[in-house]
Amino acid sequence: MAVLVGLALGAGTTDAQTTTSGAAFENQFPDPVTYRPPVPDPPELQFLEIYEIRLPGPILGPPRLAGDRIEVPAGTGWLRSGWAEGSAPVAAGSAAPDGRGPAEWATSPDGSHRALPAEGRLIVQKSCPGCNSGWRRRWRLRVPGLAPVPPVLTARRVYYGTAENRVYGVKRKNGHRLWATPLDGRVLRPLALWVEPDTEEPIAAILAVPDPGRDLVVLDALGGRPMLRYGLAGEEDRVIGAPLTTPDGHVILARQGYTPE
């Protein structure tokens, strides 16, 4: 059984990611050995399952956005559905690829930086109009077990997963580690960035699916702390590929289910 799951991920009582109240320096120059910076308070989030769409045939790869629709590669070809209303899927193309291939560059929203995992290193480049390639290396970081999938880039940070069961958040400008969060499985699928669209101050989260693919874990993008977990119901169910986020805050999962028959 193949199913497309639509989830609404929304904020609870917290409207923004802020640092812990009352945190301040005791003097102008705190002791660099004993001082620890304030830990960001993660927002309160919750999942609401809004629909499930049964798909004919096995799912061959992760879903993707196509305008205001979602396309899923299935055994019968590309299938297209609406993401908000959960409409019945319709054929959208011929036989779909299996989704496997070499990692590609991930580009920041402003187009000024891009990143690529290559031979156990995370390479980050900055736009360089005067260079032959149009890019120059900003920094390179050796990462044991780096997932061979594009990382997530934002205006200030880079996020990536590893085979050592961790998700990392580092500074975009120099690769300095900000946080590393252990999960209960290898993180080899692409991560996804979710942003709350209806708040005055942005709320951001990193979505990760650790092996074997039975859970979706939501991490605070600022501090890396786990905030929420969505588990699949069936013991043999698996998430195919990465979670997909939409502009209006939905989260879409392609779920492959298996039965003894």
Side-chain angles (χ1 to χ4, degrees), residues 105-194:
W105 289 96
T107 306
S108 61
D110 60 4
S112 66
H113 290 71
R114 67 178 187 174
L116 177 74
E119 299 179 353
R121 289 175 171 84
L122 181 62
I123 302 170
V124 172
Q125 296 181 341
K126 185 177 181 180
S127 176
C128 177
C131 301
N132 292 334
S133 65
W135 298 89
R136 64 179 175 84
R137 192 174 76 187
R138 185 67 185 266
W139 50 267
R140 182 174 62 181
L141 184 66
R142 184 174 181 84
V143 182
L146 179 64
V149 296
V152 171
L153 274 76
T154 67
R156 296 183 178 182
R157 298 192 174 186
V158 181
Y159 304 94
Y160 58 90
T162 72
E164 296 181 331
N165 301 17
R166 284 181 172 85
V167 176
Y168 292 85
V170 301
K171 290 184 178 180
R172 194 184 76 174
K173 65 179 181 180
N174 53 23
H176 289 180
R177 183 190 300 180
L178 296 170
W179 53 261
T181 300
L183 299 182
D184 55 1
R186 300 186 302 169
V187 188
L188 300 180
R189 292 173 173 81
L191 305 175
L193 174 68
W194 175 87

Side-chain angles (χ1 to χ4, degrees), residues 55 75 91 163:
L55 305 176

Side-chain angles (χ1 to χ4, degrees), residues 39 46-47 49 69 84 96 113 126 136 141 153 168 245 255:
V39 178
Q46 58 186 359
F47 273 123
E49 188 170 313
R69 299 282 153 175
H113 290 71
K126 185 177 181 180
R136 64 179 175 84
L141 184 66
L153 274 76
Y168 292 85
T245 59
R255 189 187 84 204

Side-chain angles (χ1 to χ4, degrees), residues 1 26 49 72 83 95 137 182 205 209 217 227 230:
M1 178 182 65
E26 294 183 2
E49 188 170 313
V72 186
W83 75 58
R137 192 174 76 187
V209 180
V217 182
M227 299 184 292
Y230 178 84

